[in-house]
Amino acid sequence: MTTASNSIGETDPESMRALQIIESMPGFAWSADSAGQFTYVSPKALVFLGNTSADLNTADEEDEFGWRTVVHPDDYDRVAARWRHCLRTGEHYDTEHRLRRTDGVYRWFRNSGRPSRDSEGRITQWYGTTIDIEDQKQAEATLRDREQELSQLVDMVPSHLWRLTADGEPIFFNRRMIEFIGMDVGDLGNSRRNRMEDLIDSFVHPDDAHAMKQALAQSLTTGQHFVMRYRLRRTDGVYHWMSSRAEPLRDHVGRIVQWYGLCHDIDDQVKAEEAVRESEQQLQGIIDAVPVHIWSWTPSGDLAYVSKRYLAHLGLSEANFEDFTRVAQELVHPDDAPGVQATAAASLASGDAFAMRYRRLSKDGAYRWMEGRCEPLHNRDGTILHWYGVSIDIDDQVRAEEALRASKRQLEQMIDALPVNILSFSPSGEMTYASKRYLERVGIPPHIRNFDTLARDVAHPEDFPVMFRRATDGFAAGTPFVSRFRRREKDGVYRWIEARAHPLRDTDDTIVQWYIAAIDIEEEMHAQQALRESERTLRQLIETLPALIYCAAPDGKPTYRSQQLTEFLGFGLDDKDETGVSRLVSTLDAIIHPDDLALVHEKYGHSLATGKPYALRHRLRRFDGVYRWVETRAAPMCNDEGEIVQWNGVCIDIDSEVRTQEELRLAQDRLARASHAAGLAELSASIAHEVNQPLAAIVANSHACHHWLSAEPANMERAKITVERIIRDANGAADIVSRIRALFKQSTETRVVTPLSSVITEIRELLTDEVTRRRVHMEVDIADGLPPIALDRVQIQQVLINLIRNGMEAMGSVPGRRELRLRVRFIEDAIRVELSDSGPGIELSEKIFEPFFTTKERGMGMGLAICRSIVESHGGRLWAENNTPHGATFVFALPVEATAAA
């Protein structure tokens, strides 16, 4: 065979016959050399592919073998890899892939090739066939789709399907059942003994498991179908009622091959059945418990049912209906019996319901009123199926109605005696009743029959429009209304009255009557007029006082401002209302100077909480944005029970006074500083004089000691004597300094147990003006529950004032916001006070506490030394720290136990 001609070179008859056989095969034949090049391709294949043998052997960089164009792109790499592997190993070549027909359509083929070897085992040729399997592939796909469809049908059917072997071992559960019980599908492959029994024990309710095992064993033994209700545990642990049925599948000789079963979820049905049974029991219980007597008749009027309560009331048994009929008739009051019998007979004849009242004898021998009601039950064509009746004890109701009628008579007498005029009108406005007192005082002319004509007749002409409009609106809306107007009485004199109208409604909320009660308020109106005059006079007085007056609710919410205060602030009461913020907070935030706001909130909040009067000086913002100093005072107004009903306050403008006091204080401060400087200079001179002598002696003795030690040889004896003199003079100087420090210390007898918070509060009020003048924002944070300590109040105030003033002076050159924070905490049995500023910080944090060391141009360097002496005399410690990024913090701690012991 040659590739170029695609023909067999030999022409012997055997070869020709073999070629004819090959080319008549229902498929394609081919051969290839050991390198994979085709040496023969059947003509049918070339026609199918639309190629030549040469085309199939033409390889390039992208097509290793030359047949990439005829193999489906998705199959080519797989087929080429398999062909390479077979060429390399000599394995049989078998693969399935798609070939492109000459019209471009791809069809599936099975390609098989076997190698031919020489005597030495070398591959000399490959021979193969390519068979069209397109129809087979489509059939397989159809079968797979059908199988998938059946599988989905089995899994999606809204029931649990299962199969057992002939001896009862499970071999299949559909997906819905597996998901329901939460079982691993792989468990079905385990061949364990009593597998079905294990599944029953695992998933069937313990109360049902034994019965199910017995029923299943009975069916497996007898071959009879299996039917049972039981509870099956769902994957979440909840048991559901199931209705299960299984049928055997038999072979041609009647032997059971398999069991096919179905489980249907009937949990809702079972629960509904239980609910119906419970409902029936509950209904019967209600019938037996309801405090009425229930009975029923047949269509002809024969007794069919009597409730237990009715029988028990008469002392009869449930079966004795004849005695019941006889006794029931005998118990009816003789005066009522004929009417009862006639009414019942008429209803049975006409088919109409009936209701009647009668008296029946009770156990105590007394007759009690009963109300009997009976209605027929019809079918669709109107035929009476049954009569149902009820007898209700209404003796108390009848007696109450009688009492009500008596009460009505008494009420009418009381209305006539009350000093109130009462009228009633129908919903249409027609007059239905007028009390005796009204008729006596006002009277009703004969021509008046309704509200409109009555109102026009008796109301003062000036009051009629308002009164009539209010009444008309009330009648139309069906809502109560109140009118005050002047009414003309019989003598022609008009008097003020207050008329209150209220509708009476029935159970359907329909107005059945209007009642109007009129009260004489002539004296009240005169009193109100006098009160208004008094109020006008008082308001004029308030508005002319040289003060700003306001009122507030018990919680501090502003409720009133004088005209002067409103004009001063430039806004009304509700102009500053904000969502989520109280009127008090929004008002204070708008009118109080930011530096005074925290203190105002604190003091005002304390007064509101304790009920104590409020007094404070602060700055108030005027309508033009200018802040002026005012003194605000507020006091609570209480009722007779001592409860606060209102706060009354006044703001007095003291701006000129405050500024004058500030100027005076500055002058006094300058004078005090001058006196302090003079005294300090005198003290310094005295200290210098006292210390100068021992210091001079120390210097002289030091020179002498140096002289004796420098001699050759050194005079150690004389040097020793000189050193002793130096020590003596140094101790003398130390005693002088100790006596001077003692001047700054006071006896512990002046210390008393005091809350440190009260000392700080006094200092804060004392320095308020200075803090404001220096434009410093001072924030105070004092922890709750601080224990009181024993201290010298004046000395500790001196320490705090000195540290606060040092902090404010340190921030004198700082631009922007100047903040001074005072923080007090209880830490490790000591009260710790921290004062932080936002100044430039400090250097030589320990040296600043030495006497006469100062960083101020005009400072004497004694303030911090005295502060440390005071703190140490209280058993405490004072130190300084730098803040990050700037500022300094002075801290002193006073031990509670030490101060208490002192």
Side-chain angles (χ1 to χ4, degrees):
M1 291 183 288
T2 63
T3 302
S5 62
N6 197 35
S7 62
I8 297 177
E10 297 146 350
T11 59
D12 61 278
E14 290 296 330
S15 297
M16 292 299 294
R17 188 164 45 252
L19 181 60
Q20 291 174 353
I21 293 172
I22 290 174
E23 293 181 350
S24 63
M25 289 175 55
F28 306 150
W30 55 268
S31 65
D33 60 18
S34 60
Q37 291 291 306
F38 288 112
T39 58
Y40 171 79
V41 178
S42 64
K44 289 192 296 184
L46 296 176
V47 172
F48 178 87
L49 299 174
N51 291 80
T52 64
S53 297
D55 294 336
L56 297 178
N57 283 329
T58 303
D60 55 29
E61 293 181 358
E62 295 183 357
D63 191 355
E64 178 181 358
F65 298 106
W67 29 268
R68 177 182 288 276
T69 58
V70 298
V71 178
H72 195 285
D74 295 342
D75 303 337
Y76 177 81
D77 292 336
R78 173 175 54 83
V79 173
R82 180 61 184 169
W83 182 233
R84 283 194 298 270
H85 175 76
C86 293
L87 292 175
R88 185 175 68 254
T89 62
E91 292 181 5
H92 291 181
Y93 174 68
D94 289 293
T95 183
E96 293 182 356
H97 57 83
R98 288 162 286 186
L99 290 176
R100 184 176 60 80
R101 199 165 58 190
T102 184
D103 58 359
V105 176
Y106 285 94
R107 292 182 65 84
W108 278 97
F109 286 84
R110 180 179 293 111
N111 208 344
S112 301
R114 301 291 184 270
S116 176
R117 301 176 185 271
D118 58 14
S119 60
E120 296 179 359
R122 292 189 297 269
I123 296 174
T124 59
Q125 196 78 206
W126 285 84
Y127 297 99
T129 60
T130 303
I131 301 173
D132 189 318
I133 59 172
E134 179 69 22
D135 295 338
Q136 175 187 341
K137 282 288 187 178
Q138 291 183 0
E140 290 175 354
T142 302
L143 184 60
R144 282 195 300 272
D145 292 342
R146 181 59 177 168
E147 183 180 358
Q148 183 179 7
E149 181 180 352
L150 291 175
S151 177
Q152 290 176 347
L153 178 62
V154 171
D155 288 336
M156 295 305 294
V157 67
S159 295
H160 300 163
L161 304 179
W162 44 274
R163 283 189 294 150
L164 305 179
T165 62
D167 56 355
E169 289 305 314
I171 55 178
F172 170 77
F173 290 152
N174 71 339
R175 186 178 66 184
R176 186 177 292 272
M177 186 171 183
I178 290 174
E179 291 176 352
F180 182 88
I181 63 178
M183 185 180 69
D184 188 352
V185 180
D187 290 345
L188 290 175
N190 297 336
S191 58
R192 223 171 33 155
R193 289 190 62 191
N194 301 325
R195 177 62 182 169
M196 193 61 187
E197 292 187 3
D198 293 339
L199 292 178
I200 292 174
D201 290 336
S202 299
F203 300 109
V204 177
H205 195 283
D207 296 343
D208 305 332
H210 180 68
M212 184 174 182
K213 290 178 182 178
Q214 287 185 329
L216 184 60
Q218 178 72 16
S219 295
L220 293 174
T221 301
T222 63
Q224 298 295 322
H225 65 269
F226 168 83
V227 178
M228 185 178 178
R229 284 187 174 189
Y230 58 89
R231 286 162 288 184
L232 188 65
R233 181 171 58 81
R234 199 168 59 189
T235 183
D236 58 1
V238 177
Y239 285 95
H240 271 228
W241 279 99
M242 294 286 174
S243 176
S244 185
R245 183 179 182 90
E247 297 280 353
L249 175 65
R250 301 176 185 271
D251 59 13
H252 65 283
V253 297
R255 289 192 301 267
I256 295 177
V257 179
Q258 285 185 358
W259 287 84
Y260 287 87
L262 171 71
C263 294
H264 187 63
D265 191 321
I266 60 169
D267 196 69
D268 293 338
Q269 175 186 342
V270 172
K271 291 179 178 178
E273 292 172 355
E274 292 177 353
V276 170
R277 286 193 295 271
E278 292 177 359
S279 177
E280 290 177 353
Q281 295 173 357
Q282 184 179 12
L283 181 59
Q284 185 61 49
I286 292 174
I287 292 175
D288 293 337
V290 68
V292 296
H293 303 156
I294 301 173
W295 42 270
S296 67
W297 290 340
T298 64
S300 60
D302 295 328
L303 189 63
Y305 171 79
V306 180
S307 66
K308 291 180 180 180
R309 181 179 291 271
Y310 203 172
L311 291 172
H313 179 78
L314 299 178
L316 300 175
S317 65
E318 295 183 14
N320 200 344
F321 288 150
E322 294 180 359
D323 288 345
F324 171 81
T325 304
R326 175 181 54 79
V327 172
Q329 292 176 351
E330 294 176 354
L331 293 179
V332 177
H333 193 282
D335 296 342
D336 302 333
V340 171
Q341 295 175 359
T343 300
S347 291
L348 289 172
S350 64
D352 297 331
F354 69 84
M356 56 184 172
R357 290 185 174 188
Y358 58 92
R359 286 162 290 181
R360 191 180 67 193
L361 191 65
S362 61
K363 289 182 180 181
D364 59 3
Y367 284 98
R368 295 182 64 84
W369 280 98
M370 307 293 293
E371 181 172 325
R373 294 179 176 271
C374 189
E375 291 188 1
L377 175 65
H378 299 86
N379 61 11
R380 292 184 178 179
D381 60 6
T383 303
I384 295 177
L385 300 176
H386 229 70
W387 288 85
Y388 292 97
V390 62
S391 297
I392 307 171
D393 189 316
I394 60 168
D395 194 73
D396 294 337
Q397 176 184 342
V398 172
R399 297 182 187 277
E401 290 174 354
E402 179 60 32
L404 183 62
R405 285 191 291 270
S407 175
K408 181 181 178 183
R409 290 191 297 269
Q410 184 179 2
L411 182 61
E412 289 175 348
Q413 294 174 356
M414 183 179 65
I415 289 174
D416 292 338
L418 285 174
V420 178
N421 300 329
I422 298 177
L423 299 172
S424 68
F425 297 88
S426 68
S428 62
E430 294 297 318
M431 183 182 295
T432 58
Y433 174 78
S435 65
K436 181 179 178 182
R437 184 176 293 273
Y438 184 87
L439 295 174
E440 290 175 350
R441 297 200 60 173
V442 182
I444 300 178
H447 66 279
I448 293 178
R449 292 289 182 269
N450 55 42
F451 177 83
D452 293 356
T453 55
L454 179 64
R456 288 186 173 86
D457 184 68
V458 299
H460 194 285
E462 296 177 359
D463 305 335
F464 173 77
V466 175
M467 181 274 286
F468 191 73
R469 182 176 64 254
R470 186 169 298 172
T472 302
D473 294 343
F475 285 139
T479 56
F481 60 89
V482 180
S483 295
R484 287 191 167 195
F485 62 95
R486 286 165 289 182
R487 185 187 65 188
R488 191 189 72 250
E489 299 191 350
K490 279 185 176 181
D491 57 5
V493 176
Y494 285 97
R495 292 181 65 85
W496 280 98
I497 65 164
E498 180 178 275
R500 294 180 172 269
H502 198 281
L504 173 66
R505 300 177 183 271
D506 61 11
T507 55
D508 297 331
D509 204 35
T510 301
I511 296 176
V512 296
Q513 200 77 215
W514 278 93
Y515 291 100
I516 300 179
I519 304 172
D520 190 301
I521 58 170
E522 181 74 15
E523 286 75 14
E524 178 187 343
M525 295 299 290
H526 289 300
Q528 287 184 0
Q529 181 62 29
L531 183 61
R532 285 192 291 271
E533 291 295 334
S534 175
E535 182 181 356
R536 185 162 45 251
T537 302
L538 181 60
R539 186 177 297 276
Q540 291 176 350
L541 175 63
I542 290 174
E543 296 300 341
T544 55
L545 284 175
L548 309 176
I549 299 173
Y550 67 92
C551 298
D555 61 354
K557 176 183 178 181
T559 57
Y560 168 76
R561 289 194 195 121
S562 66
Q563 186 64 30
Q564 291 187 61
L565 179 55
T566 300
E567 293 176 353
F568 181 90
L569 298 177
F571 61 87
L573 275 175
D574 55 358
D575 290 346
K576 296 297 180 182
D577 287 353
E578 299 179 14
T579 303
V581 181
S582 68
R583 179 182 293 181
L584 172 62
V585 173
S586 62
T587 302
L588 293 180
D589 291 348
I591 65 176
I592 304 299
H593 193 282
D595 295 342
D596 304 336
L597 185 59
L599 184 58
V600 169
H601 275 297
E602 178 185 344
K603 295 282 288 183
Y604 201 19
H606 177 74
S607 294
L608 292 175
T610 62
K612 295 181 179 180
Y614 166 80
L616 186 66
R617 290 187 170 193
H618 59 85
R619 284 159 290 183
L620 194 65
R621 187 181 185 277
R622 201 166 59 187
F623 66 92
D624 56 0
V626 175
Y627 285 95
R628 293 186 64 83
W629 280 97
V630 298
E631 180 173 336
T632 300
R633 293 181 178 272
M637 183 172 68
C638 302
N639 56 17
D640 294 339
E641 288 76 25
E643 299 174 344
I644 297 176
V645 296
Q646 183 172 291
W647 285 84
N648 299 323
V650 61
C651 297
I652 302 174
D653 191 316
I654 58 170
D655 195 74
S656 300
E657 176 186 344
V658 169
R659 298 185 187 280
T660 302
Q661 288 179 351
E662 176 63 14
E663 293 175 359
L664 178 61
R665 192 197 62 75
L666 291 176
Q668 290 175 343
D669 189 49
R670 288 193 294 271
L671 180 60
R673 289 181 180 274
S675 299
H676 177 70
L680 190 59
E682 182 178 350
L683 176 63
S684 299
S686 174
I687 293 173
H689 176 74
E690 292 289 337
V691 179
N692 188 53
Q693 273 188 324
L695 291 180
I698 291 172
V699 171
N701 287 324
S702 298
H703 284 298
C705 182
H706 182 269
H707 172 73
W708 297 122
L709 292 174
S710 300
E712 291 293 340
N715 192 338
M716 301 300 296
E717 190 66 28
R718 297 296 298 177
K720 181 179 179 181
I721 295 172
T722 305
V723 169
E724 291 175 351
R725 291 174 179 173
I726 292 172
I727 294 172
R728 180 199 61 197
D729 294 335
N731 288 332
D735 290 341
I736 293 173
V737 173
S738 296
R739 290 196 300 274
I740 293 172
R741 291 188 64 188
L743 294 176
F744 300 105
K745 296 182 179 180
Q746 297 184 10
S747 171
T748 58
E749 296 176 359
T750 62
R751 298 178 188 173
V752 294
V753 177
T754 306
L756 188 58
S757 58
S758 64
V759 177
I760 293 174
T761 300
E762 291 179 3
I763 295 299
R764 187 177 180 184
E765 294 180 355
L766 183 63
L767 296 178
T768 296
D769 296 341
E770 186 172 353
V771 169
T772 303
R773 178 173 53 83
R774 293 178 181 269
R775 293 182 292 108
V776 173
H777 175 70
M778 185 172 179
E779 178 183 332
V780 179
D781 181 11
I782 303 176
D784 296 332
L786 293 177
I789 58 175
L791 51 81
D792 187 313
R793 193 181 192 92
V794 175
Q795 286 185 341
I796 297 302
Q797 283 182 346
Q798 181 180 356
V799 172
L800 288 169
I801 290 174
N802 196 308
L803 294 180
I804 291 173
R805 282 180 170 165
N806 283 351
M808 291 192 293
E809 291 174 358
M811 296 185 292
S813 59
V814 174
R817 186 176 177 86
R818 302 169 183 174
E819 294 185 351
L820 191 66
R821 295 182 297 278
L822 179 62
R823 188 170 180 265
V824 184
R825 293 290 184 271
F826 182 57
I827 302 175
E828 297 180 354
D829 298 330
I831 294 182
R832 176 166 170 161
V833 181
E834 300 177 0
L835 189 73
S836 302
D837 60 57
S838 55
I842 56 175
E843 297 179 0
L844 305 173
S845 59
E846 281 301 317
K847 193 173 183 63
I848 60 175
F849 293 104
E850 295 180 3
F852 307 113
F853 178 84
T854 180
T855 59
K856 304 176 185 178
E857 294 182 0
R858 300 180 181 178
M860 298 302 296
M862 293 300 293
L864 290 176
I866 294 173
C867 288
R868 173 171 276 188
S869 297
I870 293 174
V871 171
E872 290 177 350
S873 71
H874 282 73
R877 188 165 68 93
L878 171 65
W879 71 94
E881 303 170 348
N882 276 316
N883 301 334
T884 302
H886 54 75
T889 299
F890 284 81
V891 186
F892 68 87
L894 300 177
V896 174
E897 294 182 358
T899 54

